[in-house]
């Protein structure tokens, strides 16, 4: 059972009013020694304040879904479009959306999952979660509905809404093979994130199906000057004729490196990226397009389905992607 203020007060040997004053940060209401004792007790008992209208013993429906933006900020590439999709679905299902912004109290240090247990929300959506595996496990343990999007690196019981990252690179690689390329490089900046590993898997499987050798260049944790030199060296030594990039931003880097080393796109090097950024059309970059709004809509549908008794696997979803052909690809 969840610890109450009275439990913390008894553990610390003070009154419930004193505990309330300390946890609310009311200065001058308790000595530094008393404050320290109360905070130690709160941490020891894993105390979590609850937000009304609710109780420590049972959850009262709030019609609120908590949003946690991790790997992408709200104003980032995925953030705002995903939010608009979630907003549309939340209105459809009569839910408010609450963006989690408050800094956790000092007595929750090393126990960040506690800030999600105050029952102010009926469930939580993590947008591109980073280092949240244990937090997600805790929410599942406490039977709080939670969904993650843009990653499937989640514990059992947590639905995931993903882009079809493997298919994205399969489409891109097939397009290059159809144009006659055999010496194709996959260029990535990540080796651990599930979306990037799925993209690499899609590339490698397609090359294997075609009977071609996979070549992968990952520049994770490599300084910019060093990896630009590494790109140029790899293109020349391996006689690469085409590069599939895990993102459009990486494709821009390869494009610039190729130009600086006397290579032309697409005459000498064909390029494909992913994200279909605004600048890609202007460059003529072939890219992979997808809808973050659809990811947002499906994520809310997933958490609603979970709250209605659906299984995590059954409400998970993979959002399709589309190859946008432009002038950056030509036969070698």
């Amino acid at each position: 059972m969840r610890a109450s203020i009275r439990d913390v007060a008894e553990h610390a040997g003070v009154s419930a009013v004193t505990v309330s004053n300390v946890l609310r940060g009311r200065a001058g209401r308790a000595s530094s020694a008393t404050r320290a004792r109360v905070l130690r007790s709160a941490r020891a008992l894993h105390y979590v304040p609850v937000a009304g209208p609710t109780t420590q013993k049972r959850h009262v429906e709030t019609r609120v879904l908590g949003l946690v933006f991790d790997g992408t900020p709200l104003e980032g590439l995925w953030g705002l479009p995903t939010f608009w999709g979630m907003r549309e679905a939340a209105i459809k299902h009569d839910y408010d959306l609450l963006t989690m912004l408050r800094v956790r109290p000092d007595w929750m240090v090393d126990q960040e999952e506690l800030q999600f247990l105050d029952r102010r929300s009926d469930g939580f959506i993590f947008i591109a979660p980073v280092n949240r595996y244990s937090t997600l496990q805790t929410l599942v343990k406490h039977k709080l509905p939670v969904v993650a999007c843009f990653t499937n690196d989640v514990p059992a019981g947590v639905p995931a809404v993903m882009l079809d990252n493997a298919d994205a690179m399969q489409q891109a690689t097939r397009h290059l093979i159809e144009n006659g390329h055999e010496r194709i490089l996959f260029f990535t900046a990540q080796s651990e994130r599930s979306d990037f590993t799925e993209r690499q898997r899609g590339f490698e499987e397609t090359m294997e199906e075609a009977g071609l050798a996979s070549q992968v260049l990952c520049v994770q944790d490599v300084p910019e000057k060093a990896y630009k030199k590494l790109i140029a060296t790899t293109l020349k030594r391996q006689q690469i004729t085409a590069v599939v990039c895990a993102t459009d931003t990486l494709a821009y880097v390869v494009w610039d490196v190729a130009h600086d080393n006397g290579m032309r796109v697409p005459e000498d090097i064909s390029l494909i990226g992913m994200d279909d950024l605004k600048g890609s059309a202007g460059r003529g970059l072939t890219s992979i397009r997808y809808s973050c709004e659809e990811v947002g809509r499906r994520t809310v549908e997933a958490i609603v389905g979970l709250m209605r008794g659906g299984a995590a696997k059954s409400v998970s979803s993979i959002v399709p992607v589309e190859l946008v052909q432009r002038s950056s690809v030509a036969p070698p």
Side-chain angles (χ1 to χ4, degrees), residues 2 50-51 53 85 115 155 205 260 265 275 289 298:
R2 300 161 71 96
V50 296
Q115 65 185 311
E205 288 181 353
D260 292 343
V265 176
D275 292 330
R289 178 182 296 163
R298 292 194 186 196

Side-chain angles (χ1 to χ4, degrees), residues 10-329:
E10 183 177 346
H11 189 276
V14 298
S15 69
V17 172
T18 298
V19 172
S20 179
N21 288 334
V22 170
L23 297 184
R24 289 174 183 272
R26 291 170 176 166
R29 301 290 184 92
S31 67
S32 58
T34 298
R35 181 178 183 277
R37 193 162 70 251
V38 169
L39 294 181
R40 282 197 300 270
S41 295
R43 283 178 55 79
L45 297 176
H46 301 285
Y47 172 76
V48 182
V50 296
T54 189
T55 70
Q56 292 284 0
K57 294 183 179 179
R58 65 183 180 86
H59 177 69
V60 177
E61 187 180 46
T62 63
R63 307 300 299 180
V64 172
L65 300 176
L67 307 182
V68 184
F69 286 86
D70 259 353
T72 182
L74 179 59
E75 66 276 12
L77 172 65
W78 288 343
L80 197 55
T82 305
F83 175 79
W84 286 123
M86 291 188 294
R87 177 181 180 273
E88 180 183 318
I91 292 172
K92 170 186 171 184
H93 291 287
D94 195 30
Y95 278 93
D96 289 326
L97 298 177
L98 170 67
T99 304
M100 307 289 288
L101 299 173
R102 283 188 285 174
V103 178
R104 64 177 177 238
D106 53 5
W107 50 274
M108 282 190 186
V109 173
D110 300 326
Q111 302 180 79
E112 66 175 20
E113 65 273 12
L114 298 183
Q115 65 185 311
F116 302 109
L117 302 180
D118 65 2
R119 305 189 181 187
R120 77 184 96 163
S121 303
D122 293 338
F124 293 93
I125 294 172
F126 284 76
I127 300 92
V130 177
N131 298 325
R132 295 284 194 178
Y133 201 90
S134 63
T135 298
L136 298 176
Q137 282 181 317
T138 299
L139 295 181
V140 172
K141 178 182 177 182
H142 285 267
K143 298 182 180 180
L144 264 172
V146 56
V147 176
C149 59
F150 296 112
T151 182
N152 57 9
D153 184 18
V154 294
V158 178
V161 178
M162 288 279 291
L163 298 172
D164 199 338
N165 292 291
D167 183 57
M169 295 300 100
Q170 288 168 352
Q171 291 187 46
T173 308
R174 287 191 190 112
H175 183 55
L176 292 172
I177 293 172
E178 288 166 0
N179 273 272
H181 292 276
E182 296 182 353
R183 303 188 71 83
I184 305 171
L185 175 71
F186 178 74
F187 180 44
T188 181
Q190 288 281 347
S191 61
E192 298 171 356
R193 273 179 45 177
S194 63
D195 50 347
F196 280 79
T197 57
E198 284 291 294
R199 293 173 197 184
Q200 182 172 331
R201 180 177 66 82
F203 166 77
E204 292 175 337
E205 288 181 353
T206 307
M207 293 291 283
E208 184 179 355
E209 288 171 2
L212 301 173
S214 294
Q215 300 187 68
V216 176
L217 177 61
C218 179
V219 293
Q220 184 173 345
D221 300 326
V222 177
E224 183 177 351
K225 285 186 179 179
Y227 78 64
K228 285 186 175 180
K229 184 177 181 179
L230 184 59
I231 293 168
T233 301
T234 303
L235 294 180
K236 291 177 179 179
R237 287 183 178 176
Q238 303 300 326
Q239 298 181 319
I240 300 298
T241 65
V243 184
V244 180
C245 300
T247 69
D248 279 4
T249 303
L250 293 175
Y252 296 165
V253 173
V254 175
W255 196 313
D256 293 342
V257 168
H259 179 269
D260 292 343
N261 285 269
M263 291 178 276
R264 301 163 297 166
V265 176
E267 291 86 352
D268 302 309
I269 295 288
S270 287
L271 275 178
I272 299 181
M274 177 168 177
D275 292 330
D276 196 28
L277 299 178
K278 289 182 179 179
S280 298
R283 281 201 182 214
L285 177 66
T286 296
S287 187
I288 299 293
R289 178 182 296 163
Y290 51 83
S291 171
C292 287
E293 289 90 342
E294 182 63 18
V295 172
R297 283 191 289 269
R298 292 194 186 196
T299 301
V300 170
E301 294 290 346
I303 198 167
V304 170
L306 196 64
M307 291 188 290
R308 291 176 176 173
K313 285 187 177 181
S314 68
V315 300
S316 294
S317 183
I318 297 178
V319 176
V321 298
E322 170 192 8
L323 178 71
V324 181
Q325 298 182 29
R326 297 193 179 100
S327 59
S328 66
V329 174

